[in-house]
Amino acid sequence: MYQFKELQEAESVVEIFKTNIQEESDRDYVIAVMQNQFPDYKINFDLEDCDKILRIEGVDLQYDNVVNHVSGLGYTCVRLE
């Protein structure tokens, strides 16, 4: 029960990234790969935004892992502060 209480108290973090993803097919591919790698993260894109925003929410979110993973897929990914 103690572990469950810790999980409830853990704060979710939201990180926003600028990407160069243009197409819905690319978006869907990146989301599928990222969900496989990071199953506990909530991942979505705003392709209507000029920065092609990638938004990720999760507990213990490591933004550098996200940047490295998306970059490794061949896309630009820069954390917005």
Side-chain angles (χ1 to χ4, degrees):
M1 191 60 115
Y2 178 71
Q3 289 176 329
F4 181 69
K5 185 177 180 182
E6 275 185 9
L7 289 175
Q8 283 182 323
E9 293 176 359
E11 289 191 31
S12 187
V13 175
V14 176
E15 292 285 357
I16 307 294
F17 304 88
K18 177 180 178 177
T19 74
N20 66 339
I21 295 170
Q22 302 285 325
E23 303 296 325
E24 290 181 12
S25 59
D26 293 327
R27 174 202 64 197
D28 295 344
Y29 170 69
V30 171
I31 288 174
V33 171
M34 296 293 287
Q35 285 288 201
N36 190 46
Q37 183 68 29
F38 307 106
D40 296 328
Y41 291 176
K42 293 180 185 174
I43 302 169
N44 63 59
F45 278 91
D46 181 359
L47 297 183
E48 300 295 321
D49 187 275
C50 64
D51 288 331
K52 308 305 180 191
I53 295 296
L54 165 61
R55 180 180 179 274
I56 300 185
E57 180 180 349
V59 175
D60 194 32
L61 179 66
Q62 303 295 318
Y63 73 86
D64 52 336
N65 289 341
V66 172
V67 170
N68 291 337
H69 207 75
V70 174
S71 296
L73 295 173
Y75 301 100
T76 301
C77 184
V78 178
R79 179 179 175 227
L80 296 178
E81 298 185 39

